[in-house]
């Protein structure tokens, strides 16, 4: 699989919300998002990074073409290129809600999911209801195989307190791999100011970690 790393150049200049996810009066400068995809049609795979040579050329081309494109243009391209093979992950952050705002205009039928670790705040999950009400997008909750109660019983309490990486792997990474399995592309909200690695992200790029 491959990543279309749709990186918005600058997140918002300023956003005025009528409510916590009402994007009716938004002014923005573009910052960073991320897409991800996997082409079944291209079968020749590079042994170094798992990316087909033809696809590497397409990624480089689209990364240049879409580098300064408006959000609707980027999303419309992804929806046309991947159709029902396109999905989106959101944690209901501001950048994710922005993407959903634009996605609802150009590809509202795109499957959207949230990694529900069992540790999310109730207020976070309430945003899911408001997204459904405003945009008609029903965000799927993807959960780990075990409940929080069973998981903490197995590990003698909240594992995230002393082994956060293991907890993240069990309750985020594994469910994420399952959630994107069978899809050709996925979108997730990242920002250039979060890490130096993410600041180097391009509009379209390969994600070797997830083979997307």
């Amino acid at each position: 699989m491959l990543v279309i790393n749709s990186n918005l150049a600058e997140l918002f200049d300023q956003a005025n919300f009528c409510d916590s996810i009402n994007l009716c009066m938004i002014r923005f400068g573009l910052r960073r998002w991320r897409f991800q995809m996997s082409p079944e049609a291209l079968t020749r795979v590079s042994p170094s990074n798992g990316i087909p040579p033809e696809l590497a050329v397409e990624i480089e081309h689209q990364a240049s073409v879409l580098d300064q494109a408006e959000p609707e243009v980027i999303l419309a391209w992804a929806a046309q290129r991947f159709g029902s093979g396109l999905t989106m992950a959101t944690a209901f952050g501001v950048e994710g809600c922005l993407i959903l705002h634009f996605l609802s205009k150009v590809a509202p039928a795109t499957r959207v999911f949230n990694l529900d670790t069992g540790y999310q705040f109730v207020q976070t999950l309430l945003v899911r209801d408001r997204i459904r009400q405003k945009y008609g997008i029903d965000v799927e909750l993807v959960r780990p195989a075990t409940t929080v109660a069973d998981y903490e019983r197995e590990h003698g309490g909240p594992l995230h307190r002393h082994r956060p990486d293991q907890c993240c792997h069990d309750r985020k990474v594994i469910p994420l791999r399952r959630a994107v399995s069978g899809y050709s592309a996925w979108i997730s909200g990242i920002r250039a100011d979060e890490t130096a690695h993410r600041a180097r992200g391009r509009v379209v790029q390969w994600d070797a970690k997830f083979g997307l």
Side-chain angles (χ1 to χ4, degrees):
M1 296 172 85
L2 130 93
V3 169
I4 317 168
N5 199 355
S6 164
N7 292 316
L8 295 179
E10 296 178 275
L11 179 58
F12 307 120
D13 181 82
Q14 178 180 353
N16 297 314
F17 297 101
C18 296
D19 56 46
S20 62
I21 62 165
N22 190 339
L23 305 174
C24 66
M25 295 179 61
I26 211 162
R27 291 180 305 156
F28 58 90
L30 301 178
R31 208 184 264 205
R32 299 265 158 195
W33 345 327
R34 173 187 217 171
F35 286 108
Q36 309 168 28
M37 67 187 187
S38 105
E40 291 79 5
L42 301 174
T43 56
R44 287 195 293 140
V45 177
S46 166
S48 61
N49 59 11
I51 181 172
E54 300 94 332
L55 187 56
V57 173
E58 180 185 1
I59 292 172
E60 180 62 31
H61 173 70
Q62 292 298 338
S64 298
V65 169
L66 298 171
D67 184 57
Q68 299 299 319
E70 294 293 322
E72 295 96 329
V73 174
I74 298 171
L75 290 169
W77 170 79
Q80 182 177 24
R81 172 66 173 80
F82 301 104
S84 60
L86 178 67
T87 188
M88 174 182 170
T90 181
F92 304 120
V94 175
E95 58 274 13
C97 289
L98 260 181
I99 298 172
L100 286 169
H101 171 72
F102 296 121
L103 193 66
S104 70
K105 294 181 176 182
V106 299
T110 301
R111 178 240 190 176
V112 181
F113 67 90
N114 165 263
L115 296 175
D116 184 11
T117 63
Y119 292 102
Q120 295 190 105
F121 295 113
V122 173
Q123 293 89 338
T124 300
L125 295 176
L126 288 175
V127 175
R128 173 175 177 256
D129 297 332
R130 303 183 76 171
I131 287 170
R132 184 193 302 112
Q133 294 167 6
K134 179 171 179 58
Y135 299 116
I137 296 175
D138 192 6
V139 179
E140 175 187 344
L141 296 178
V142 174
R143 298 184 171 98
T146 57
T147 65
V148 168
D150 288 343
Y151 189 72
E152 292 187 354
R153 188 179 303 112
E154 177 185 350
H155 294 284
L159 191 64
H160 62 83
R161 292 180 181 173
H162 53 94
R163 290 170 59 195
D165 289 347
Q166 183 62 48
C167 184
C168 181
H169 177 77
D170 294 343
R171 304 195 72 79
K172 286 186 178 181
V173 177
I174 292 176
L176 175 56
R177 290 189 186 280
R178 185 176 74 247
V180 300
S181 177
Y183 281 85
S184 300
W186 66 293
I187 309 163
S188 63
I190 65 172
R191 299 202 316 271
D193 62 352
E194 290 177 321
T195 67
H197 176 72
R198 291 184 172 187
R200 294 192 297 270
R202 304 189 69 192
V203 174
V204 183
Q205 72 178 42
W206 177 262
D207 182 350
K209 180 178 180 179
F210 290 100
L212 289 167

